[in-house]
Amino acid sequence: MRTQVGIIGAGPAGLFLAHLLAREGISAVILESRSRADVEGTIRAGVLEQWVVDLMGTLGIDERLKREADFHTGITLQWDRSRLHLDMAELTGGKRVTVYPQHQVLRDLIAAWLARGGEVVFEAHASAISGIDGEAPNVAFRRGAGGAQEELHCDYVVGADGFHGPSRQAIPDAVRREYQKIYPFGWLGILTRAPRSWHELIYSNQADGFALLSTRSPEVQRLYIQCDPHDDIALWPDARIWEQLHARLELDGWTLQEGPIFQKGIIPLRSFVCDPMQHGRLFLAGDAAHIVPPTGAKGLNLAVADVLVLSRALAAQYARNDGALLARYSATALRRVWKGERFSWYMTTMLHRNPAETEFERRIHFADLDFVRSSRAAATALAENYVGLPFDAP
Ligand code: RFL
Ligand code: PHB
């Protein structure tokens, strides 16, 4: 097989990139190790930054989003038995919080990509990337479990294969620097068939720890609680989950609506950055290069930001034989990535109960929250980051 840009991974990074390249007249093939049903059925992110929503409009793939997404003007922060409504739209000149789940974004991107004749090879496991130091790289892959080995030949390889994919390791150890922080807590996430309890997301830091109330539709709600990242999910029967959600979210005069829980799982929280995000003709994008804890709702949005930068750089290369932007891809992308890392760390630290923290540190987190309540500058800083920093045009 041969294409101009070989993309490993049909997550948000890989699929947005394919659409952005098509707009520039550049061909791409996506190799994806999972089945289409699996990709479209995995429950992950929920919140889109305003410019990502606008980009979906520009790409002509926002028809269902406009109909089915939930648009909130702000978020609610809760601590010390009180709530603060942050009106993001008012603080940022009209930018809103869009709740539209990642698997719906992926469904829309895949349907539109296939409809325009684009190729995704599902159940194609990429195993080796070679030739990135020369001009003719290729990706070895196998279709299904017993398939013969095949090769995808291309001008450039994009590793959009998530945190556990093989691409990052193709950058030699000698030039790759990795930065990491592991948090001493995880998130237990559930989906429940219940009515909405509140008109926007609630991020709560209470004595028992963090909880987040989010939504998927008027009938299905998404909730998270901080837990031990090593907990077995069997330790969390539904009754214990509800008891903790009530304890961490409820206030006098407000009750959390319960319903049957039909999905639950635990994820660890980590921050991670790989620098550089490129080597020779290999470019990393999204979770393959960086991970944020989900408290800032930044992961998917950073993945899309990477590929917007990369698509502009590849367009300059193909259209004008100008490789300057491509040479600077990693440096440009990392400037935004580190701001996303900072914001995600800030939200995570401020809103969780670290089992090892002192009472002094806990008071500092409350002071941080109180500062957001009392200072318009602090509230604006939080809001600007949450709805998405202005895009650094190269
Ligand atoms: P993905 O989505 O992991 O996609 C990578 C794809 O690569 C495939 N792959 C391979 N394909 C071929 N050959 C191989 N050898 C391969 N190895 C892997 C995989 O099957 C997969 O399909 O990475 P990408 O595109 O970089 O996208 C990143 C986002 O998925 C991620 O950052 C977000 O989900 C993070 N996140 C959130 N981000 C937000 O912006 N807003 C949120 O509200 C938000 N909430 C969340 C989140 C992530 C969560 N979890 C479960 C980690 C909430 C949660 C609970
Ligand atoms: C979600 O709805 O899944 C969600 C919302 C906000 C976050 C993380 C996840 O910060």
Side-chain angles (χ1 to χ4, degrees):
M1 281 177 97
R2 147 115 224 133
T3 190
Q4 288 177 305
V5 178
I7 301 175
I8 309 175
L15 283 160
F16 266 103
L17 179 64
H19 280 278
L20 289 163
L21 292 177
R23 197 168 62 154
E24 307 288 345
I26 301 167
S27 70
V29 168
I30 308 178
L31 303 175
E32 167 56 53
S33 56
R34 293 183 297 153
S35 69
R36 181 174 177 184
D38 200 359
V39 170
E40 294 185 346
T42 304
I43 307 297
R44 294 186 79 177
V47 176
L48 303 180
E49 293 181 358
Q50 182 67 53
W51 70 272
V52 174
V53 173
D54 299 342
L55 180 64
M56 286 181 72
T58 310
L59 293 170
I61 39 178
D62 65 340
E63 196 200 317
R64 219 158 53 87
L65 178 146
K66 279 195 293 205
R67 239 186 9 250
E68 295 176 17
D70 230 27
F71 301 99
H72 301 171
T73 52
I75 61 168
T76 294
L77 300 177
Q78 176 174 334
W79 72 100
D80 223 7
R81 296 279 149 213
S82 71
R83 282 189 185 160
L84 168 67
H85 163 70
L86 271 187
D87 191 328
M88 305 272 173
E90 195 261 326
L91 288 163
T92 63
K95 291 183 185 172
R96 290 186 297 178
V97 178
T98 302
V99 188
Y100 189 64
Q102 176 163 335
H103 66 281
Q104 303 292 9
V105 176
L106 294 179
R107 271 179 59 192
D108 297 344
L109 289 167
I110 291 169
W113 177 244
L114 298 177
R116 67 183 302 160
E119 184 156 11
V120 187
V121 191
F122 286 104
E123 297 176 62
H125 184 81
S127 53
I129 303 164
S130 34
I132 55 174
D133 289 314
E135 296 198 344
N138 70 79
V139 183
F141 68 98
R142 243 175 243 287
R143 286 180 215 241
Q149 178 156 311
E150 298 177 54
E151 283 184 353
L152 174 62
H153 296 269
C154 42
D155 302 332
Y156 301 96
V157 178
V158 177
D161 46 357
F163 186 65
H164 301 287
S167 298
R168 190 171 59 252
Q169 267 71 37
I171 298 182
D173 287 350
V175 296
R176 195 173 79 236
R177 178 123 197 236
E178 296 183 347
Y179 304 84
Q180 173 153 260
K181 177 175 173 66
I182 308 270
Y183 298 84
F185 36 76
W187 275 19
L188 190 166
I190 63 157
L191 286 171
T192 175
R193 212 164 296 287
R196 285 199 177 114
S197 295
W198 193 240
H199 58 282
E200 60 190 20
L201 272 58
I202 304 175
Y203 290 81
S204 177
N205 176 348
Q206 294 293 165
D208 292 337
F210 170 82
L212 167 60
L213 173 87
S214 182
T215 184
R216 285 297 177 265
S217 69
E219 299 82 29
V220 173
Q221 311 313 320
R222 178 79 164 145
L223 295 111
Y224 300 95
I225 40 178
Q226 169 185 350
C227 66
D228 186 318
H230 308 295
D231 267 0
D232 186 335
I233 193 73
L235 288 170
W236 288 92
D238 294 3
R240 182 178 177 207
I241 295 174
W242 285 117
E243 183 237 314
Q244 280 300 308
L245 282 167
H246 285 290
R248 298 178 196 196
L249 287 164
E250 267 179 24
L251 284 182
D252 288 346
W254 185 89
T255 320
L256 176 66
Q257 307 273 328
E258 285 191 23
I261 295 174
F262 62 93
Q263 209 253 6
K264 57 180 166 182
I266 292 175
I267 56 152
L269 263 55
R270 82 166 84 222
S271 299
F272 175 88
V273 179
C274 167
D275 181 355
M277 290 170 59
Q278 67 189 94
H279 183 75
R281 290 194 170 220
L282 169 68
F283 299 86
L284 303 181
D287 280 12
H290 41 76
I291 294 289
V292 287
T295 329
K298 286 282 152 273
L300 181 160
N301 297 291
L302 286 176
V304 186
D306 288 350
V307 297
L308 182 54
V309 172
L310 185 55
S311 69
R312 288 174 176 170
L314 285 166
Q317 173 66 50
Y318 278 106
R320 304 189 298 276
N321 203 22
D322 176 355
L325 292 180
L326 211 43
R328 281 207 308 276
Y329 163 69
S330 176
T332 308
L334 282 169
R335 285 186 63 197
R336 188 179 184 89
V337 165
W338 275 110
K339 290 185 201 101
E341 294 284 342
R342 186 207 68 84
F343 179 68
S344 304
W345 164 86
Y346 157 75
M347 290 286 279
T348 301
T349 314
M350 178 169 75
L351 287 164
H352 287 71
R353 182 111 215 227
N354 186 330
E357 84 192 351
T358 60
E359 200 47 37
F360 174 84
E361 285 158 327
R362 182 153 177 78
R363 298 292 149 154
I364 293 291
H365 301 325
F366 286 166
D368 240 336
L369 284 158
D370 200 34
F371 186 43
V372 173
R373 189 202 297 279
S374 55
S375 155
R376 187 175 170 89
T380 306
L382 196 159
E384 277 180 359
N385 280 277
Y386 194 87
V387 298
L389 292 173
F391 202 83
D392 302 329

